[in-house]
């Protein structure tokens, strides 16, 4: 049984807090409801909504919206070192991270406080502070939207890259992710675990905190750093990093470095370098600027914010202005990380 509601405002269901209506909206809490809804809408394209944390909605959504709120966490397999834990797609990411920490399962503590749901974490291969989802990913359960077939995709199947996966490329729009299985280190049974604390900001923060090194302490450090730079979307609408950090050729980086010796960078390989978009945007003078209710966060220039009633188009206008300014000043094109919803 599915319950379809009409003209539902999605403002509470996207972290940017953009007011936009779903013509038809169904809250999905079980896999059965999901398969029922997919067969009901078999001849129409549906719009899958998870935590709404990585999208900028530009207009009302005409497609039927399926809001994936399927919950549940279970242990699939446990051995001396590892534990396979499956989370259903609708679990909140940060709550899942905290659940793992409480149970002494290590591996995702660096990813604390990332907004969104577990089910959407593989799409952009979420990452922060030296860890990416792919480092702990085992597999995910999906349903093929057209055929209704249930499948399991492995790490290799998902073709993860920096903020990238098969779900953004050849499998775009093909699947609903219903559950994700993680391979974590079971600290109840082993001490053999490499904490990922080499990322500068974490090391500095850990030194400020009491107690011996633990996954709980690492998560606390990450939460402190993130909360000092990234706004809480319940208070100030945002989607985390709005842009991806651009990856440029080393020759271009070397030229830029001559003109801007303080430009930070992360080497990708021998010929490519990643530079922080936040730094470029900051140096163009955008940090803290406001255009009506749309603006740039005052503590992190990579984050666009909605001060209240901004529309998606107003936020996009700010993004386009930033992209042009960065291009004019540094010759670098920066791409949006956030999905622009215009359908
Ligand atoms: N910087 C500035 N001004 C700013 C922002 C940044 O000068 O306004 C400089 C910083 O001083 C630093 C560099 O730019 O030298 C990088 O900044 P930061 O360490 O804050 O990280 P980031 O590159 O901006 C990335 C991820 C974040 C993730 C952090 C930590 C992307 C697009 N963003 O940000 O992910 O939390 O690293 O690992 O890769 C997200 O995807 O939503 C997100 C928040």
């Amino acid at each position: 049984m599915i319950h379809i509601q009409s003209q539902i405002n999605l403002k509470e269901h996207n972290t940017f807090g953009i007011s936009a209506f779903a013509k038809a909206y169904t809250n999905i809490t079980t896999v059965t409801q999901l398969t029922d809804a997919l067969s009901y809408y078999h001849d129409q394209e549906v719009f899958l909504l998870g935590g709404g944390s990585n999208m900028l909605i530009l207009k009302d959504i005409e497609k039927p919206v399926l809001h994936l709120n399927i919950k549940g966490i279970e242990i699939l397999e446990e051995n001396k070192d590892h534990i396979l834990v499956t989370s259903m797609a609708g679990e909140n990411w940060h709550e899942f991270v905290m659940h793992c920490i409480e149970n002494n399962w290590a591996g995702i503590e660096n990813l604390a406080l990332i907004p969104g749901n577990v089910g959407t974490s593989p799409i952009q291969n979420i990452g922060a502070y030296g860890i990416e989802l792919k480092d702990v990913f085992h597999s995910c359960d999906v349903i093929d939207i057209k055929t209704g077939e249930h499948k399991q995709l492995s790490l290799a199947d998902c073709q993860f890259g920096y903020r990238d996966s098969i779900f953004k490329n050849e499998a775009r729009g093909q699947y609903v992710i219903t559950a994700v299985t993680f391979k974590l280190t079971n600290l109840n049974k082993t001490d053999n675990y490499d904490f990922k604390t080499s990322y500068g900001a974490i090391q500095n923060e850990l030194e400020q905190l009491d107690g011996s090194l633990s996954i709980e302490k690492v998560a606390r450090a990450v939460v402190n750093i993130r909360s000092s730079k990234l706004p809480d979307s319940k208070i100030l609408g945002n989607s985390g990093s709005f842009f991806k950090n651009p990856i440029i050729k080393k020759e271009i980086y070397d030229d830029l470095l001559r003109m801007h010796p303080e430009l930070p960078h992360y080497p990708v390989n021998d010929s490519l370098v990643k530079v922080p978009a936040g730094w470029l945007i900051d140096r163009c003078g955008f940090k803290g600027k406001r255009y009506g209710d749309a603006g740039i966060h005052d503590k992190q220039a990579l984050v666009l914010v909605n001060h209240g009633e901004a529309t998606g188009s107003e936020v996009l206008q700010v993004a386009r202005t930033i992209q042009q300014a960065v291009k004019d000043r540094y010759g670098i094109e920066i791409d949006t990380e956030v999905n622009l919803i215009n359908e």
Side-chain angles (χ1 to χ4, degrees):
M1 261 282 281
I2 57 167
H3 174 55
I4 302 168
Q5 294 171 274
S6 58
Q7 287 301 106
I8 294 293
N9 193 343
L10 300 175
K11 191 173 170 74
E12 301 292 319
H13 300 313
N14 71 100
T15 61
F16 243 122
I18 302 289
S19 184
F21 285 83
K23 227 174 170 176
Y25 169 95
T26 309
N27 186 30
I28 303 283
T29 56
T30 63
V31 174
T32 312
Q33 281 177 355
L34 176 61
T35 47
D36 286 353
L38 290 176
S39 58
Y40 180 81
Y41 287 121
H42 68 279
D43 55 349
Q44 280 181 63
E45 257 187 67
V46 293
F47 182 87
L48 300 168
L49 177 64
S53 65
N54 202 38
M55 54 171 62
L56 179 65
I57 308 180
L58 298 171
K59 61 186 192 53
D60 290 345
I61 298 184
E62 302 291 323
K63 292 177 186 169
V65 171
L66 303 184
H67 193 184
L68 298 168
N69 279 310
I70 310 171
K71 308 252 191 233
I73 298 172
E74 65 175 3
I75 297 173
L76 199 68
E77 200 182 296
E78 206 174 346
N79 63 30
K80 190 163 72 41
D81 305 316
H82 286 106
I83 182 155
L84 296 185
V85 183
T86 303
S87 166
M88 299 306 288
E91 290 288 345
N92 171 272
W93 174 264
H94 179 65
E95 284 168 22
F96 176 64
V97 170
M98 294 320 285
H99 178 86
C100 292
I101 290 170
E102 278 154 27
N103 284 283
N104 236 352
W105 305 330
I108 53 175
E109 57 283 355
N110 294 44
L111 304 181
L113 217 60
I114 292 187
N117 286 355
V118 171
T120 38
S121 61
I123 299 177
Q124 59 152 344
N125 179 26
I126 58 170
Y129 306 108
I131 293 272
E132 285 185 336
L133 179 98
K134 70 172 173 51
D135 303 327
V136 287
F137 178 94
H138 175 268
S139 56
C140 63
D141 298 342
V142 298
I143 300 179
D144 187 309
I145 295 174
K146 280 220 177 71
T147 63
E149 186 192 353
H150 291 237
K151 283 210 250 187
Q152 194 173 67
L153 303 184
S154 69
L155 178 66
D157 291 336
C158 292
Q159 299 173 20
F160 290 120
Y162 167 60
R163 295 296 193 272
D164 203 23
S165 72
I166 192 167
F167 306 107
K168 282 184 146 188
N169 297 295
E170 65 249 45
R172 196 184 187 96
Q174 190 181 344
Y175 299 120
V176 193
I177 299 172
T178 55
V180 183
T181 300
F182 299 85
K183 186 176 181 188
L184 303 173
T185 301
N186 191 355
L187 294 182
N188 301 306
K189 304 218 168 144
T190 177
D191 294 330
N192 188 8
Y193 179 62
D194 281 334
F195 287 90
K196 304 288 183 301
T197 55
S198 57
Y199 200 96
I202 293 202
Q203 230 161 39
N204 297 341
E205 186 61 33
L206 283 171
E207 282 164 20
Q208 315 293 317
L209 297 175
D210 293 335
S212 53
L213 187 59
S214 66
I215 51 175
E216 186 274 329
K217 188 171 166 182
V218 172
R220 213 162 5 116
V222 170
V223 166
N224 289 352
I225 306 166
R226 288 188 77 94
S227 353
S228 69
K229 290 205 287 193
L230 303 169
D232 178 349
S233 64
K234 290 193 194 80
I235 298 163
L236 186 61
N238 76 93
S239 261
S241 302
F242 194 90
F243 301 100
K244 285 192 266 201
N245 287 332
I247 295 173
I248 58 176
K249 291 210 176 85
K250 185 140 190 329
E251 302 90 83
I252 296 177
Y253 172 75
D254 290 339
D255 285 347
L256 276 170
L257 198 61
R258 248 170 262 126
M259 286 183 285
H260 311 280
E262 67 295 6
L263 175 64
H265 76 290
Y266 320 103
V268 173
N269 56 34
D270 287 348
S271 55
L272 296 172
V273 175
K274 187 152 81 179
V275 294
W279 188 92
L280 301 170
I281 299 167
D282 192 357
R283 291 310 178 283
C284 290
F286 284 106
K287 194 140 108 183
K289 274 207 176 175
R290 188 170 168 171
Y291 306 80
D293 268 357
I296 299 99
H297 189 43
D298 57 359
K299 298 196 185 72
Q300 163 60 287
L302 195 55
V303 177
L304 301 193
V305 293
N306 172 9
H307 288 279
E309 298 301 320
T311 63
S313 312
E314 285 164 349
V315 176
L316 184 61
Q317 184 58 44
V318 173
R320 297 295 184 227
T321 306
I322 291 173
Q323 285 172 313
Q324 191 60 50
V326 169
K327 176 102 200 291
D328 291 347
R329 186 168 168 144
Y330 295 102
I332 297 179
E333 309 230 7
I334 52 170
D335 282 340
T336 56
E337 185 201 281
V338 166
N339 295 312
L340 304 177
I341 310 298
N342 197 7
E343 46 200 337

PDB file of all heavy atoms in Angstrom, residues 188-215:
ATOM      1  N   ASN A 188      36.175  -4.658  18.923  1.00  0.00           N
ATOM      2  CA  ASN A 188      35.863  -5.547  20.050  1.00  0.00           C
ATOM      3  C   ASN A 188      36.748  -6.788  19.990  1.00  0.00           C
ATOM      4  O   ASN A 188      36.911  -7.493  20.980  1.00  0.00           O
ATOM      5  CB  ASN A 188      34.402  -5.996  20.005  1.00  0.00           C
ATOM      6  CG  ASN A 188      33.463  -4.808  20.061  1.00  0.00           C
ATOM      7  OD1 ASN A 188      33.564  -3.983  20.964  1.00  0.00           O
ATOM      8  ND2 ASN A 188      32.583  -4.700  19.083  1.00  0.00           N
ATOM      9  N   LYS A 189      37.291  -7.074  18.790  1.00  0.00           N
ATOM     10  CA  LYS A 189      38.066  -8.310  18.624  1.00  0.00           C
ATOM     11  C   LYS A 189      39.517  -8.096  18.238  1.00  0.00           C
ATOM     12  O   LYS A 189      40.297  -9.024  18.276  1.00  0.00           O
ATOM     13  CB  LYS A 189      37.391  -9.191  17.562  1.00  0.00           C
ATOM     14  CG  LYS A 189      35.939  -9.497  17.897  1.00  0.00           C
ATOM     15  CD  LYS A 189      35.563 -10.899  17.534  1.00  0.00           C
ATOM     16  CE  LYS A 189      34.229 -11.244  18.146  1.00  0.00           C
ATOM     17  NZ  LYS A 189      33.416 -12.083  17.319  1.00  0.00           N
ATOM     18  N   THR A 190      39.853  -6.884  17.773  1.00  0.00           N
ATOM     19  CA  THR A 190      41.245  -6.642  17.371  1.00  0.00           C
ATOM     20  C   THR A 190      41.669  -5.217  17.729  1.00  0.00           C
ATOM     21  O   THR A 190      40.828  -4.324  17.784  1.00  0.00           O
ATOM     22  CB  THR A 190      41.428  -6.853  15.842  1.00  0.00           C
ATOM     23  OG1 THR A 190      42.769  -6.532  15.502  1.00  0.00           O
ATOM     24  CG2 THR A 190      40.515  -5.971  15.020  1.00  0.00           C
ATOM     25  N   ASP A 191      42.984  -5.050  17.957  1.00  0.00           N
ATOM     26  CA  ASP A 191      43.517  -3.697  18.188  1.00  0.00           C
ATOM     27  C   ASP A 191      44.239  -3.213  16.946  1.00  0.00           C
ATOM     28  O   ASP A 191      44.789  -2.121  16.922  1.00  0.00           O
ATOM     29  CB  ASP A 191      44.567  -3.717  19.324  1.00  0.00           C
ATOM     30  CG  ASP A 191      43.932  -4.075  20.638  1.00  0.00           C
ATOM     31  OD1 ASP A 191      42.746  -3.754  20.800  1.00  0.00           O
ATOM     32  OD2 ASP A 191      44.628  -4.689  21.483  1.00  0.00           O
ATOM     33  N   ASN A 192      44.251  -4.082  15.938  1.00  0.00           N
ATOM     34  CA  ASN A 192      45.027  -3.780  14.752  1.00  0.00           C
ATOM     35  C   ASN A 192      44.251  -2.816  13.844  1.00  0.00           C
ATOM     36  O   ASN A 192      43.505  -3.231  12.969  1.00  0.00           O
ATOM     37  CB  ASN A 192      45.299  -5.118  14.034  1.00  0.00           C
ATOM     38  CG  ASN A 192      46.260  -4.949  12.896  1.00  0.00           C
ATOM     39  OD1 ASN A 192      46.837  -3.860  12.729  1.00  0.00           O
ATOM     40  ND2 ASN A 192      46.422  -5.996  12.097  1.00  0.00           N
ATOM     41  N   TYR A 193      44.429  -1.522  14.095  1.00  0.00           N
ATOM     42  CA  TYR A 193      43.679  -0.524  13.330  1.00  0.00           C
ATOM     43  C   TYR A 193      44.525   0.726  13.139  1.00  0.00           C
ATOM     44  O   TYR A 193      45.132   1.232  14.079  1.00  0.00           O
ATOM     45  CB  TYR A 193      42.378  -0.164  14.067  1.00  0.00           C
ATOM     46  CG  TYR A 193      41.580   0.882  13.336  1.00  0.00           C
ATOM     47  CD1 TYR A 193      41.092   0.639  12.052  1.00  0.00           C
ATOM     48  CD2 TYR A 193      41.332   2.142  13.908  1.00  0.00           C
ATOM     49  CE1 TYR A 193      40.368   1.603  11.367  1.00  0.00           C
ATOM     50  CE2 TYR A 193      40.604   3.111  13.222  1.00  0.00           C
ATOM     51  CZ  TYR A 193      40.128   2.833  11.960  1.00  0.00           C
ATOM     52  OH  TYR A 193      39.417   3.785  11.277  1.00  0.00           O
ATOM     53  N   ASP A 194      44.585   1.197  11.900  1.00  0.00           N
ATOM     54  CA  ASP A 194      45.334   2.420  11.597  1.00  0.00           C
ATOM     55  C   ASP A 194      44.390   3.616  11.638  1.00  0.00           C
ATOM     56  O   ASP A 194      43.569   3.763  10.737  1.00  0.00           O
ATOM     57  CB  ASP A 194      45.899   2.354  10.164  1.00  0.00           C
ATOM     58  CG  ASP A 194      47.140   1.511  10.095  1.00  0.00           C
ATOM     59  OD1 ASP A 194      47.818   1.407  11.127  1.00  0.00           O
ATOM     60  OD2 ASP A 194      47.409   0.955   9.012  1.00  0.00           O
ATOM     61  N   PHE A 195      44.516   4.426  12.673  1.00  0.00           N
ATOM     62  CA  PHE A 195      43.709   5.651  12.711  1.00  0.00           C
ATOM     63  C   PHE A 195      44.175   6.574  11.589  1.00  0.00           C
ATOM     64  O   PHE A 195      45.376   6.666  11.329  1.00  0.00           O
ATOM     65  CB  PHE A 195      43.897   6.355  14.058  1.00  0.00           C
ATOM     66  CG  PHE A 195      43.209   5.651  15.187  1.00  0.00           C
ATOM     67  CD1 PHE A 195      43.868   4.679  15.929  1.00  0.00           C
ATOM     68  CD2 PHE A 195      41.898   5.956  15.503  1.00  0.00           C
ATOM     69  CE1 PHE A 195      43.234   4.023  16.970  1.00  0.00           C
ATOM     70  CE2 PHE A 195      41.250   5.306  16.542  1.00  0.00           C
ATOM     71  CZ  PHE A 195      41.919   4.336  17.273  1.00  0.00           C
ATOM     72  N   LYS A 196      43.236   7.233  10.930  1.00  0.00           N
ATOM     73  CA  LYS A 196      43.610   8.166   9.849  1.00  0.00           C
ATOM     74  C   LYS A 196      43.606   9.583  10.427  1.00  0.00           C
ATOM     75  O   LYS A 196      42.598  10.266  10.432  1.00  0.00           O
ATOM     76  CB  LYS A 196      42.611   8.066   8.688  1.00  0.00           C
ATOM     77  CG  LYS A 196      42.454   6.670   8.105  1.00  0.00           C
ATOM     78  CD  LYS A 196      43.676   6.253   7.294  1.00  0.00           C
ATOM     79  CE  LYS A 196      43.522   4.885   6.646  1.00  0.00           C
ATOM     80  NZ  LYS A 196      43.273   3.769   7.578  1.00  0.00           N
ATOM     81  N   THR A 197      44.776   9.962  10.948  1.00  0.00           N
ATOM     82  CA  THR A 197      44.831  11.260  11.623  1.00  0.00           C
ATOM     83  C   THR A 197      45.917  12.155  11.039  1.00  0.00           C
ATOM     84  O   THR A 197      46.281  13.162  11.636  1.00  0.00           O
ATOM     85  CB  THR A 197      45.117  11.073  13.127  1.00  0.00           C
ATOM     86  OG1 THR A 197      46.318  10.314  13.246  1.00  0.00           O
ATOM     87  CG2 THR A 197      44.005  10.368  13.825  1.00  0.00           C
ATOM     88  N   SER A 198      46.429  11.793   9.846  1.00  0.00           N
ATOM     89  CA  SER A 198      47.540  12.585   9.311  1.00  0.00           C
ATOM     90  C   SER A 198      47.044  13.905   8.724  1.00  0.00           C
ATOM     91  O   SER A 198      47.821  14.843   8.563  1.00  0.00           O
ATOM     92  CB  SER A 198      48.305  11.787   8.265  1.00  0.00           C
ATOM     93  OG  SER A 198      47.419  11.394   7.261  1.00  0.00           O
ATOM     94  N   TYR A 199      45.759  13.998   8.397  1.00  0.00           N
ATOM     95  CA  TYR A 199      45.191  15.244   7.875  1.00  0.00           C
ATOM     96  C   TYR A 199      45.413  16.346   8.916  1.00  0.00           C
ATOM     97  O   TYR A 199      44.982  16.213  10.070  1.00  0.00           O
ATOM     98  CB  TYR A 199      43.702  15.015   7.626  1.00  0.00           C
ATOM     99  CG  TYR A 199      43.067  15.989   6.670  1.00  0.00           C
ATOM    100  CD1 TYR A 199      42.911  15.670   5.321  1.00  0.00           C
ATOM    101  CD2 TYR A 199      42.607  17.219   7.103  1.00  0.00           C
ATOM    102  CE1 TYR A 199      42.316  16.547   4.442  1.00  0.00           C
ATOM    103  CE2 TYR A 199      42.014  18.111   6.228  1.00  0.00           C
ATOM    104  CZ  TYR A 199      41.876  17.768   4.911  1.00  0.00           C
ATOM    105  OH  TYR A 199      41.269  18.647   4.047  1.00  0.00           O
ATOM    106  N   GLY A 200      46.121  17.415   8.487  1.00  0.00           N
ATOM    107  CA  GLY A 200      46.585  18.454   9.414  1.00  0.00           C
ATOM    108  C   GLY A 200      45.568  18.918  10.443  1.00  0.00           C
ATOM    109  O   GLY A 200      45.844  18.938  11.647  1.00  0.00           O
ATOM    110  N   ALA A 201      44.372  19.277   9.942  1.00  0.00           N
ATOM    111  CA  ALA A 201      43.381  19.861  10.853  1.00  0.00           C
ATOM    112  C   ALA A 201      43.000  18.887  11.969  1.00  0.00           C
ATOM    113  O   ALA A 201      42.786  19.291  13.111  1.00  0.00           O
ATOM    114  CB  ALA A 201      42.136  20.261  10.063  1.00  0.00           C
ATOM    115  N   ILE A 202      42.946  17.582  11.670  1.00  0.00           N
ATOM    116  CA  ILE A 202      42.571  16.590  12.684  1.00  0.00           C
ATOM    117  C   ILE A 202      43.650  16.504  13.743  1.00  0.00           C
ATOM    118  O   ILE A 202      43.367  16.481  14.943  1.00  0.00           O
ATOM    119  CB  ILE A 202      42.376  15.183  12.076  1.00  0.00           C
ATOM    120  CG1 ILE A 202      41.171  15.175  11.157  1.00  0.00           C
ATOM    121  CG2 ILE A 202      42.227  14.125  13.153  1.00  0.00           C
ATOM    122  CD1 ILE A 202      40.585  13.809  10.934  1.00  0.00           C
ATOM    123  N   GLN A 203      44.900  16.462  13.284  1.00  0.00           N
ATOM    124  CA  GLN A 203      46.007  16.359  14.234  1.00  0.00           C
ATOM    125  C   GLN A 203      45.983  17.517  15.230  1.00  0.00           C
ATOM    126  O   GLN A 203      46.057  17.305  16.439  1.00  0.00           O
ATOM    127  CB  GLN A 203      47.322  16.392  13.460  1.00  0.00           C
ATOM    128  CG  GLN A 203      48.239  15.278  13.841  1.00  0.00           C
ATOM    129  CD  GLN A 203      49.276  15.068  12.759  1.00  0.00           C
ATOM    130  OE1 GLN A 203      49.776  16.037  12.182  1.00  0.00           O
ATOM    131  NE2 GLN A 203      49.589  13.820  12.492  1.00  0.00           N
ATOM    132  N   ASN A 204      45.781  18.740  14.695  1.00  0.00           N
ATOM    133  CA  ASN A 204      45.739  19.922  15.574  1.00  0.00           C
ATOM    134  C   ASN A 204      44.592  19.823  16.563  1.00  0.00           C
ATOM    135  O   ASN A 204      44.762  20.110  17.747  1.00  0.00           O
ATOM    136  CB  ASN A 204      45.551  21.205  14.758  1.00  0.00           C
ATOM    137  CG  ASN A 204      46.725  21.437  13.837  1.00  0.00           C
ATOM    138  OD1 ASN A 204      47.808  20.872  14.054  1.00  0.00           O
ATOM    139  ND2 ASN A 204      46.529  22.223  12.797  1.00  0.00           N
ATOM    140  N   GLU A 205      43.436  19.394  16.073  1.00  0.00           N
ATOM    141  CA  GLU A 205      42.254  19.350  16.939  1.00  0.00           C
ATOM    142  C   GLU A 205      42.421  18.268  18.012  1.00  0.00           C
ATOM    143  O   GLU A 205      42.059  18.471  19.166  1.00  0.00           O
ATOM    144  CB  GLU A 205      41.008  19.097  16.079  1.00  0.00           C
ATOM    145  CG  GLU A 205      39.683  19.158  16.813  1.00  0.00           C
ATOM    146  CD  GLU A 205      39.363  20.507  17.455  1.00  0.00           C
ATOM    147  OE1 GLU A 205      39.771  21.546  16.895  1.00  0.00           O
ATOM    148  OE2 GLU A 205      38.723  20.496  18.533  1.00  0.00           O
ATOM    149  N   LEU A 206      43.004  17.109  17.624  1.00  0.00           N
ATOM    150  CA  LEU A 206      43.178  16.011  18.590  1.00  0.00           C
ATOM    151  C   LEU A 206      44.071  16.451  19.753  1.00  0.00           C
ATOM    152  O   LEU A 206      43.846  16.048  20.895  1.00  0.00           O
ATOM    153  CB  LEU A 206      43.776  14.782  17.904  1.00  0.00           C
ATOM    154  CG  LEU A 206      42.804  13.952  17.050  1.00  0.00           C
ATOM    155  CD1 LEU A 206      43.554  12.887  16.256  1.00  0.00           C
ATOM    156  CD2 LEU A 206      41.709  13.308  17.902  1.00  0.00           C
ATOM    157  N   GLU A 207      45.071  17.282  19.407  1.00  0.00           N
ATOM    158  CA  GLU A 207      45.974  17.740  20.473  1.00  0.00           C
ATOM    159  C   GLU A 207      45.243  18.578  21.520  1.00  0.00           C
ATOM    160  O   GLU A 207      45.656  18.644  22.675  1.00  0.00           O
ATOM    161  CB  GLU A 207      47.136  18.546  19.868  1.00  0.00           C
ATOM    162  CG  GLU A 207      48.176  17.630  19.247  1.00  0.00           C
ATOM    163  CD  GLU A 207      49.132  18.364  18.319  1.00  0.00           C
ATOM    164  OE1 GLU A 207      49.259  19.598  18.428  1.00  0.00           O
ATOM    165  OE2 GLU A 207      49.748  17.677  17.469  1.00  0.00           O
ATOM    166  N   GLN A 208      44.140  19.207  21.108  1.00  0.00           N
ATOM    167  CA  GLN A 208      43.370  20.044  22.043  1.00  0.00           C
ATOM    168  C   GLN A 208      42.450  19.209  22.942  1.00  0.00           C
ATOM    169  O   GLN A 208      41.917  19.711  23.916  1.00  0.00           O
ATOM    170  CB  GLN A 208      42.450  21.036  21.295  1.00  0.00           C
ATOM    171  CG  GLN A 208      43.086  21.776  20.135  1.00  0.00           C
ATOM    172  CD  GLN A 208      44.159  22.728  20.591  1.00  0.00           C
ATOM    173  OE1 GLN A 208      43.971  23.439  21.576  1.00  0.00           O
ATOM    174  NE2 GLN A 208      45.302  22.706  19.918  1.00  0.00           N
ATOM    175  N   LEU A 209      42.200  17.945  22.541  1.00  0.00           N
ATOM    176  CA  LEU A 209      41.194  17.146  23.254  1.00  0.00           C
ATOM    177  C   LEU A 209      41.838  16.221  24.282  1.00  0.00           C
ATOM    178  O   LEU A 209      42.940  15.724  24.071  1.00  0.00           O
ATOM    179  CB  LEU A 209      40.388  16.291  22.262  1.00  0.00           C
ATOM    180  CG  LEU A 209      39.561  17.055  21.217  1.00  0.00           C
ATOM    181  CD1 LEU A 209      38.926  16.090  20.229  1.00  0.00           C
ATOM    182  CD2 LEU A 209      38.482  17.891  21.891  1.00  0.00           C
ATOM    183  N   ASP A 210      41.105  15.984  25.375  1.00  0.00           N
ATOM    184  CA  ASP A 210      41.603  15.077  26.422  1.00  0.00           C
ATOM    185  C   ASP A 210      41.382  13.625  26.015  1.00  0.00           C
ATOM    186  O   ASP A 210      40.593  13.328  25.134  1.00  0.00           O
ATOM    187  CB  ASP A 210      40.825  15.308  27.729  1.00  0.00           C
ATOM    188  CG  ASP A 210      41.124  16.681  28.311  1.00  0.00           C
ATOM    189  OD1 ASP A 210      42.213  17.219  28.009  1.00  0.00           O
ATOM    190  OD2 ASP A 210      40.256  17.203  29.038  1.00  0.00           O
ATOM    191  N   GLY A 211      42.053  12.721  26.736  1.00  0.00           N
ATOM    192  CA  GLY A 211      41.803  11.283  26.560  1.00  0.00           C
ATOM    193  C   GLY A 211      42.706  10.668  25.515  1.00  0.00           C
ATOM    194  O   GLY A 211      43.299  11.362  24.685  1.00  0.00           O
ATOM    195  N   SER A 212      42.822   9.311  25.573  1.00  0.00           N
ATOM    196  CA  SER A 212      43.685   8.629  24.610  1.00  0.00           C
ATOM    197  C   SER A 212      42.970   8.495  23.270  1.00  0.00           C
ATOM    198  O   SER A 212      41.751   8.649  23.180  1.00  0.00           O
ATOM    199  CB  SER A 212      44.090   7.266  25.165  1.00  0.00           C
ATOM    200  OG  SER A 212      42.926   6.587  25.530  1.00  0.00           O
ATOM    201  N   LEU A 213      43.774   8.184  22.252  1.00  0.00           N
ATOM    202  CA  LEU A 213      43.239   8.112  20.886  1.00  0.00           C
ATOM    203  C   LEU A 213      42.177   7.017  20.785  1.00  0.00           C
ATOM    204  O   LEU A 213      42.404   5.873  21.184  1.00  0.00           O
ATOM    205  CB  LEU A 213      44.399   7.842  19.918  1.00  0.00           C
ATOM    206  CG  LEU A 213      44.065   7.911  18.439  1.00  0.00           C
ATOM    207  CD1 LEU A 213      43.513   9.278  18.050  1.00  0.00           C
ATOM    208  CD2 LEU A 213      45.297   7.577  17.607  1.00  0.00           C
ATOM    209  N   SER A 214      41.021   7.369  20.275  1.00  0.00           N
ATOM    210  CA  SER A 214      39.944   6.385  20.078  1.00  0.00           C
ATOM    211  C   SER A 214      39.107   6.863  18.906  1.00  0.00           C
ATOM    212  O   SER A 214      39.225   8.028  18.490  1.00  0.00           O
ATOM    213  CB  SER A 214      39.054   6.314  21.326  1.00  0.00           C
ATOM    214  OG  SER A 214      38.374   7.550  21.486  1.00  0.00           O
ATOM    215  N   ILE A 215      38.250   5.970  18.383  1.00  0.00           N
ATOM    216  CA  ILE A 215      37.414   6.407  17.252  1.00  0.00           C
ATOM    217  C   ILE A 215      36.438   7.491  17.704  1.00  0.00           C
ATOM    218  O   ILE A 215      36.107   8.398  16.959  1.00  0.00           O
ATOM    219  CB  ILE A 215      36.681   5.230  16.556  1.00  0.00           C
ATOM    220  CG1 ILE A 215      35.927   4.339  17.544  1.00  0.00           C
ATOM    221  CG2 ILE A 215      37.660   4.427  15.726  1.00  0.00           C
ATOM    222  CD1 ILE A 215      35.092   3.246  16.866  1.00  0.00           C
TER     223      ILE A 215
END
